[in-house]
Amino acid sequence: MAYDKFTVLKSNCVPLPLENVDTDQIIPARFLKATKREGFGDNLFRDWRYNNDDSPKEDFVLNNPTYSGKVLVAGRNFGSGSSREHAAWAIYDYGFRCVISSFFADIFKGNALNIGILPVTVSPAFLDQIFKAIEADANAEVEVDLPGQKVTIVATGESESFEINGYKKNNMINGFDDIDYLQNMKEEIGEFAKTRPF
């Protein structure tokens, strides 16, 4: 399934300065029955976001109108726990296109990249700078430059480079998933197949 192309994203941020946020907290297991990637955003961080009577918890950041944007800034070790790809689906379906942290669980990171969420790993010091910028101004913006592999705090100009697999980078810039990538190479694959002796 193709997704939005990602080149340069300039956005406000939603701060979640908690460490070890696992996938069961991102999307609880009871919401994993659906197979389409739609509707999961409604239950993103469900148990932190809502009371048992489905009323919003006022102290949770997603229920705070002060914060908005397409960038979620999270504490260290985001996406740990089970390998459920629904966690990435929920984040994308809610409207986030980038998650910034100082460390991601490998499987979550792969799942995110596969569906168009850019997981940006920065140093603990730079992550702290981002949190401080948001604390000083809830409308603080970051600019995430995927082609240049750099994230910048717009107000201060402070920036840091980040790493990304070249294949995944190309796919995100073009809005491709793995199938789209192969479909885009259909002619080249056909020509190569003609050179095979079988």
Side-chain angles (χ1 to χ4, degrees), residues 145-172:
D145 177 354
L146 177 55
Q149 295 181 212
K150 183 172 72 171
V151 58
T152 303
I153 302 169
V154 174
T156 64
E158 296 166 293
S159 65
E160 188 169 283
S161 298
F162 61 88
E163 297 297 320
I164 183 171
N165 173 278
Y167 166 69
K168 294 298 184 184
K169 176 181 177 179
N170 179 70
N171 275 3
M172 290 204 68

Side-chain angles (χ1 to χ4, degrees), residues 178-196:
D178 293 334
I179 301 300
D180 296 317
Y181 175 79
L182 291 174
Q183 290 282 0
N184 190 58
M185 297 179 62
K186 189 163 50 177
E187 291 184 11
E188 291 95 324
I189 293 170
E191 290 301 315
F192 177 77
K194 291 176 184 176
T195 68
R196 301 298 88 195

Side-chain angles (χ1 to χ4, degrees), residues 90-157:
I91 291 169
Y92 185 92
D93 191 59
Y94 184 83
F96 291 118
R97 292 297 173 266
C98 176
V99 182
I100 299 175
S101 176
S102 59
F103 182 82
F104 292 95
D106 286 342
I107 294 176
F108 172 82
K109 187 174 183 178
N111 288 338
L113 287 166
N114 284 342
I115 66 158
I117 299 168
L118 180 61
V120 173
T121 304
V122 297
S123 67
F126 191 68
L127 182 66
D128 187 54
Q129 286 177 300
I130 297 174
F131 279 129
K132 286 179 178 175
I134 300 168
E135 184 179 359
D137 178 6
N139 294 313
E141 293 181 313
V142 296
E143 182 177 273
V144 182
D145 177 354
L146 177 55
Q149 295 181 212
K150 183 172 72 171
V151 58
T152 303
I153 302 169
V154 174
T156 64

